[in-house]
Amino acid sequence: MPRTGLLRTKSVEQSRADTDEPDTRLRKNLSAFDLVMFGVAVTIGAGIFTMTARTAGNIAGPGVALSFVISAIACGLAALCYAEFASTVPVAGSAYTYSYATFGEFIAWILGWDLLLELALGSAVVAKGWSEYLQEALGLLGIQAKTTVPLAGFDFDWGAVVLTLLLTTVLAVGIKLSARVTQVITLVKIAVVLLVIFAGLQWINTANYTPFIPEPTGGDSSGGGLEQSLFSLMLGGSTSNFGVFGIFAGAAIVFFAFIGFDVVATTAEETRNPQRDMPRGIMGSLAIVTVLYVAVALVVTGMVSYKELATKPDGTKATLATAFTYHGQTWTASFIIIGALAGLTTVVMVLMLGQIRVLFAMSRDGLVPRVLAKTSDSTGTPVRATVLVGIFVVIASGFFPASKLEEMVNVGTLAAFIMVSVGVIVLRKTRPDLPRSFRTPLVPLVPILAVLACLWVMVNLTAMTWVRFLIWMAAGLLLYFVYGYRNSRLAQQEREQSKGAVAETP
């Protein structure tokens, strides 16, 4: 018996049929190599160039390498579930679309709303990081210019705004151009990362690895109270800075660096052979970045004591370049700045791409205005959705501070991973007849382990992050009941079927 109301589901067949509608059709231009490049592009960025050093210095010490491994395991388990869904339901929208087919419209809305804001905040945060590196790059050229200036009572970040406007234009022109730009820039930054690894090996002092897991520090404003991990708080700890709690808290922070394969899944509808290429793109990108992250973490914490990477009293934060500057290697630091500009550029672009495709999928389903789902005849892209996302990211990155937003991105992404992992089990039970070119191994064990791993990372986020997340979700629920519930295409079909049944009643 079909489900109605909050539990109404959109069948896999209907989702696939929607991809052939002339006004909302996306062009299939992507290969497995394009998908791997998208995944690497969005993951090699803030994680390597800013987050590694900062997390080592403030939270985990040299054990930050273990934090990356823990996050990679959680992501790897979830990635196996994503790969099955992406090859079975090759439709734009990622976790939103998968949830619509398994749990129903209400859960799909929650995840869609969640992903929209998570990707938008992620884009804004990384755009502001790009702006900081732009200021350093201008300094290398002898141009002493601030990329953040006072404007009408705000600190206006013109660097982030310029980047967002340029990338919005590229994304509106077409997915193939976006893929080519991504490939070129990603190859540049991989070269820079490899340079960092091999150049840093000569400066490694094994004494810097001791202690590998530093003793926990006393609770303070940055690591105690509601600012410590929820796990530490529940067990009565005073801080999640360093110690074992610090390793897990670090994993929850650096998880931000692993969200690339989720964004890869949003491009399934534009992939020429999604059944074959989506699993390759998802798993391939995750494998590459995990090796690079762990290698960079070991090199950086071996080059200098983790204490040298701590945020200074004046607010100066360590970056990857800090370790090389410490050894007088300013030329390597200059290359890192160039690599960071390249790396963060593609991160912002792919995050925006993911947000646009989720918004497109929700619009096509009527949960947000359908005018946003119309694709351009000339470019094959949803230009209106692209422009709207561009405006949102311009405002967020141009006028609002980036502090604490990384964790907000993480908690929502982890929630999506959990729902997708559970969804694999549900869809195996409800639709065993569906052709699956890629099957998650050891179901239900692997999905259950993915859920447990993601929950473990989630409870190591700060308690304040959970408070913000609950407020965020409450706003989303209000929007759904005001607009989405009555205007979705499934709701319209229900009303038409109800009228037809009444008309047939004698």
Side-chain angles (χ1 to χ4, degrees):
M1 185 174 182
R3 291 184 285 179
T4 60
L6 297 177
L7 299 179
R8 54 198 176 212
T9 58
K10 183 178 179 181
S11 69
V12 173
E13 290 78 8
Q14 187 174 351
S15 293
R16 287 175 172 170
D18 287 347
T19 66
D20 292 325
E21 293 183 352
D23 290 341
T24 60
R25 181 184 299 159
L26 296 170
R27 294 179 182 174
K28 296 183 180 296
N29 286 320
L30 301 179
S31 66
F33 181 74
D34 294 325
L35 299 178
V36 171
M37 286 296 100
F38 272 137
V40 174
V42 76
T43 47
I44 296 184
I48 278 185
F49 294 110
T50 60
M51 208 173 294
T52 303
R54 197 174 305 167
T55 305
N58 298 329
I59 297 174
V64 69
L66 294 179
S67 298
F68 276 113
V69 172
I70 292 170
S71 288
I73 292 172
C75 286
L77 292 168
L80 291 170
C81 299
Y82 263 90
E84 176 169 326
F85 256 123
S87 61
T88 306
V89 193
V91 179
S94 185
Y96 159 75
T97 301
Y98 310 154
S99 296
Y100 219 153
T102 50
F103 302 108
E105 185 176 279
F106 180 63
I107 298 299
W109 164 265
I110 290 177
L111 280 176
W113 168 252
D114 184 21
L115 289 173
L116 280 178
L117 291 181
E118 301 297 344
L119 293 170
L121 291 179
S123 301
V125 169
V126 181
K128 295 184 79 67
W130 183 92
S131 181
E132 293 175 4
Y133 272 105
L134 175 63
Q135 183 171 304
E136 292 189 42
L138 292 174
L140 292 176
L141 297 174
I143 303 173
Q144 302 302 319
K146 295 285 188 180
T147 53
T148 300
V149 296
L151 179 67
F154 290 91
D155 289 330
F156 177 64
D157 193 332
W158 63 264
V161 169
V162 167
L163 175 66
T164 303
L165 291 175
L166 289 173
L167 294 182
T168 300
T169 302
V170 171
L171 290 167
V173 168
I175 189 70
K176 198 62 179 177
L177 175 61
S178 303
R180 290 293 169 260
V181 171
T182 299
Q183 288 173 14
V184 172
I185 299 178
T186 300
L187 291 174
V188 170
K189 67 179 175 180
I190 288 177
V192 172
V193 171
L194 292 175
L195 170 67
V196 167
I197 293 172
F198 289 107
L201 289 175
Q202 63 180 309
W203 301 104
I204 288 180
N205 179 357
T206 55
N208 290 327
Y209 293 132
T210 305
F212 195 71
I213 302 177
E215 289 296 318
T217 59
D220 55 30
S221 59
S222 62
L226 290 179
E227 294 300 333
Q228 67 182 302
S229 71
L230 183 62
F231 181 63
S232 172
L233 187 65
M234 290 189 300
L235 293 186
S238 61
T239 180
S240 56
N241 285 353
F242 306 111
V244 175
F245 286 145
I247 298 296
F248 291 117
I253 297 296
V254 301
F255 184 86
F256 179 85
F258 284 99
I259 65 173
F261 73 83
D262 176 40
V263 179
V264 170
T266 68
T267 65
E269 193 172 324
E270 294 159 277
T271 303
R272 287 193 290 267
N273 189 342
Q275 287 76 16
R276 181 196 66 190
D277 293 341
M278 289 305 300
R280 293 180 180 181
I282 290 171
M283 302 306 297
S285 59
L286 182 61
I288 291 171
V289 300
T290 299
V291 172
L292 293 177
Y293 273 141
V294 173
V296 168
L298 290 173
V299 167
V300 171
T301 54
M303 289 177 66
V304 297
S305 167
Y306 72 92
K307 297 177 182 179
E308 297 292 336
L309 302 174
T311 299
K312 300 298 185 288
D314 64 357
T316 302
K317 297 178 180 179
T319 66
L320 190 57
T322 302
F324 287 90
T325 303
Y326 180 86
H327 288 285
Q329 299 298 300
T330 54
W331 68 272
T332 308
S334 300
F335 272 103
I336 291 173
I337 291 173
I338 295 171
L341 283 172
L344 299 180
T345 297
T346 55
V347 173
V348 176
M349 184 167 71
V350 181
L351 286 175
M352 289 179 65
L353 173 66
Q355 186 193 16
I356 292 163
R357 295 308 182 261
V358 173
L359 179 62
F360 167 82
M362 296 178 72
S363 175
R364 189 162 59 186
D365 292 333
L367 293 176
V368 295
R370 277 184 56 79
V371 295
L372 297 174
K374 181 171 176 55
T375 54
S376 167
D377 293 334
S378 59
T379 66
T381 60
V383 175
R384 294 172 182 173
T386 302
V387 171
L388 180 61
V389 167
I391 292 172
F392 187 93
V393 178
V394 161
I395 294 172
S397 64
F399 294 95
F400 293 93
S403 59
K404 298 300 178 184
L405 295 182
E406 293 132 333
E407 290 200 20
M408 287 294 289
V409 176
N410 291 353
V411 68
T413 305
L414 284 160
F417 287 1
I418 288 173
M419 297 308 297
V420 169
S421 300
V422 175
V424 167
I425 301 175
V426 173
L427 204 60
R428 287 278 188 97
K429 294 291 186 181
T430 58
R431 292 298 308 274
D433 57 304
L434 284 174
R436 293 170 169 84
S437 59
F438 178 87
R439 299 176 68 88
T440 304
L442 301 176
V443 173
L445 178 60
V446 166
I448 290 173
L449 290 175
V451 170
L452 294 176
C454 290
L455 284 173
W456 177 256
V457 177
M458 289 179 80
V459 298
N460 282 283
L461 291 165
T462 67
M464 183 55 70
T465 296
W466 281 90
V467 173
R468 298 187 187 106
F469 180 64
L470 293 176
I471 295 173
W472 188 344
M473 288 296 100
L477 292 178
L478 177 63
L479 286 175
Y480 173 69
F481 287 112
V482 169
Y483 183 88
Y485 179 75
R486 293 191 55 81
N487 290 280
S488 77
R489 295 181 71 178
L490 292 186
Q492 294 172 3
Q493 291 173 9
E494 282 184 2
R495 289 194 292 270
E496 291 172 359
Q497 292 171 357
S498 177
K499 289 178 182 178
V502 171
E504 293 176 2
T505 301

